[in-house]
């Protein structure tokens, strides 16, 4: 298990921010990123990815990759989400991103209230960390934009669902497309709307997923 430490212990350490994107979606992989920023990195406009426009995220996506001391983007596939559940799959994606960093971090600040099962160093969970710590903000942007790019690619592979627009979230347009076309191979069948629809399509009585 990662060791929890006081943040003040690592004032001058290599601090990585970790965050994920796509936990609440009905389709597609979950993404994560890890970022180590230089002191005086000069990246303007960092914020929680959810508070930024798509254009601002795209600009920062390039800026972070150019100016960060180190960064890594990782993912957990739909099959892993189904097998492990979405929480553990998101933790796995963050773990993969953290271990891919070079140089290795000395502290990982993880957005949320829990840590991945393994990290390459000490770790600290920070609730709403993507609104507090610049490395987590940067990680949230990389994870979000990388996932958005993947959902646009999947839109071309599985047309008709609107993945490029809603990025896999359970919007009215997405649910209507699910009812019209049925689930695709990248839909998360353990998620209630997909599971319910599959049961309806097969003429079965609805059973709530465990």
């Amino acid at each position: 298990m990662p060791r929890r430490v006081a943040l003040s212990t690592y004032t001058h350490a290599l601090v990585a921010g970790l965050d994920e994107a796509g936990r609440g979606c009905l389709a597609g992989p979950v993404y994560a990123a890890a970022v180590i920023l230089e002191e005086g990195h000069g990246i303007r406009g960092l914020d929680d990815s959810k508070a930024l426009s798509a254009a601002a995220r795209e600009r920062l996506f390039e800026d972070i990759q150019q100016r960060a001391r180190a960064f890594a983007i990782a993912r957990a596939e739909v099959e892993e989400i189904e097998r492990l559940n979405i929480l553990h799959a998101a933790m796995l994606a963050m773990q993969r991103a953290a271990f891919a960093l070079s140089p290795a971090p000395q502290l990982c600040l993880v957005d949320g209230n829990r840590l991945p099962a393994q990290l390459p160093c000490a770790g600290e969970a920070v609730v709403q960390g993507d609104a507090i710590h610049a490395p987590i903000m940067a990680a949230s942007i990389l994870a979000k934009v990388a996932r958005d790019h993947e959902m646009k690619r999947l839109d071309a592979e599985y047309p008709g669902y609107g993945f490029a627009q809603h990025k896999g979230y359970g919007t009215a347009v997405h649910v209507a497309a699910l009812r019209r076309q049925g689930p695709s191979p990248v839909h998360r069948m353990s998620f209630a709307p997909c599971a319910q629809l599959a049961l309806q399509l097969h003429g079965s009585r609805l059973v709530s997923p465990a």
Side-chain angles (χ1 to χ4, degrees), residues 74 85 157 207:
N85 77 38
E157 188 171 351
V207 178

Side-chain angles (χ1 to χ4, degrees), residues 85-107:
N85 77 38
I86 184 57
L87 173 62
H88 289 95
M91 291 291 134
L92 178 60
M94 286 196 283
Q95 178 176 307
R96 286 169 173 164
F99 275 97
L101 286 172
S102 180
Q106 294 169 299
L107 173 66

Side-chain angles (χ1 to χ4, degrees), residues 144-166:
K144 168 65 175 166
V145 176
R147 188 178 189 281
D148 285 356
H149 290 174
E150 173 64 4
M151 294 310 293
K152 289 177 183 177
R153 188 193 70 78
L154 290 175
D155 185 66
E157 188 171 351
Y158 302 103
Y161 294 100
F163 289 150
Q165 286 72 48
H166 53 65

